Amino acid sequence: MTSNGTQLDGRDWKAMVIAAADAVEQQVDELSRLDAAVGDGDHGVNVVTAMSYARNELNTTDDPSPGDVMKILARGFLDEMGGAAGALFGSLFRVVGRGFRDADATDVTQLAEALGSGVETVMLRGQTSPGDKTMVDALVPAAAAATESAEAGADVKDALAAVAAAARSGVEATTSMPAFRGRAKYAGDKAVGVPDAGATTVAIIFETWAATIVERNDA
Ligand code: ADP
Ligand code: MG
């Protein structure tokens, strides 16, 4: 891979998204189990369907730009997944991709700005704030970590690690929350004690992105 420690190019983004598709596939049963505790138990299969579509498309797309990779990922969620979560993940990645414009490579500042806009869109469309026990509880701290990393002048590896760690802490915080959005709101107190499925998906994706870039740097 060609890009340096301060930027992610299209090949990096392609590798990151393909690796994330593999990671959610490995955790499909766990994601569905989390959703089954409070909802209809389809979350794992939903996310794998969306991301497998993106992986197939990317495997036959030569030299996509970072924005193209996000567009393809968004399409997987919007066209192949459906449901509330599909539309929200689709909007997230579509707005992130728009934020990348037609750049050949993205730095930490571009990542932080694009992720921040994407997370704002999810909160508006989902009418959700942190504390409602949704994907937003992982996304908001992750976007904040990206902004802090940009301000501190972190390289992409450290920035992605901080984003992933913040998302995972956000997931852990959802465990003790009752649910106020999505199907889980009908579960009442049954939701308490179970981390949110959509937030867990966010953490898996960002952790895989971070690990992919660590491997790139070690190569
Ligand atoms: P569905 O709820 O249609 O079965 P999934 O099971 O795939 O869809 O996704 C459930 C996840 O979607 C939840 O764990 C939660 O993170 C997320 N979610 C649901 N509704 C909202 C909302 N209004 N705002 C943000 N996230 C939401
Ligand atoms: Mg569900």
Side-chain angles (χ1 to χ4, degrees), residues 84-187:
L88 294 170
F89 275 118
S91 309
L92 170 71
F93 295 119
R94 197 172 52 188
V95 172
V96 170
R98 277 193 201 136
F100 289 171
R101 297 197 182 83
D102 53 1
D104 290 332
T106 56
D107 64 16
V108 175
T109 301
Q110 284 166 307
L111 173 63
E113 285 174 2
L115 192 57
S117 306
V119 174
E120 285 294 322
T121 303
V122 171
M123 288 197 286
L124 277 174
R125 291 202 57 170
Q127 300 190 315
T128 316
S129 336
D132 289 344
K133 196 182 182 93
T134 69
M135 62 175 79
V136 162
D137 288 295
L139 288 171
V140 166
T147 302
E148 280 163 30
S149 298
E151 285 166 3
D155 65 15
V156 283
K157 179 169 64 71
D158 290 346
L160 287 172
V163 165
R168 183 55 69 180
S169 301
V171 172
E172 281 158 14
T174 64
T175 305
S176 62
M177 294 175 189
F180 297 105
R181 289 284 177 272
R183 288 179 209 282
K185 71 181 174 217
Y186 305 112

Side-chain angles (χ1 to χ4, degrees), residues 13-147:
W13 281 105
K14 177 172 165 175
M16 288 155 67
V17 169
I18 288 172
D22 296 343
V24 293
E25 208 162 58
Q26 278 161 17
Q27 308 221 28
V28 62
D29 291 339
E30 173 64 6
L31 290 171
S32 287
R33 189 186 65 79
L34 295 177
D35 188 35
V38 295
D40 50 3
D42 61 351
H43 185 68
V45 171
N46 290 346
V47 170
V48 168
T49 303
M51 296 197 71
S52 304
Y53 167 90
R55 182 176 53 198
N56 287 344
E57 289 291 301
L58 287 168
N59 276 328
T60 56
T61 307
D62 291 330
D63 295 327
S65 69
D68 292 337
V69 175
M70 285 298 119
K71 237 183 271 170
I72 288 168
L73 180 57
R75 228 170 29 231
F77 281 104
L78 292 170
D79 296 354
E80 306 297 318
M81 179 158 154
L88 294 170
F89 275 118
S91 309
L92 170 71
F93 295 119
R94 197 172 52 188
V95 172
V96 170
R98 277 193 201 136
F100 289 171
R101 297 197 182 83
D102 53 1
D104 290 332
T106 56
D107 64 16
V108 175
T109 301
Q110 284 166 307
L111 173 63
E113 285 174 2
L115 192 57
S117 306
V119 174
E120 285 294 322
T121 303
V122 171
M123 288 197 286
L124 277 174
R125 291 202 57 170
Q127 300 190 315
T128 316
S129 336
D132 289 344
K133 196 182 182 93
T134 69
M135 62 175 79
V136 162
D137 288 295
L139 288 171
V140 166
T147 302

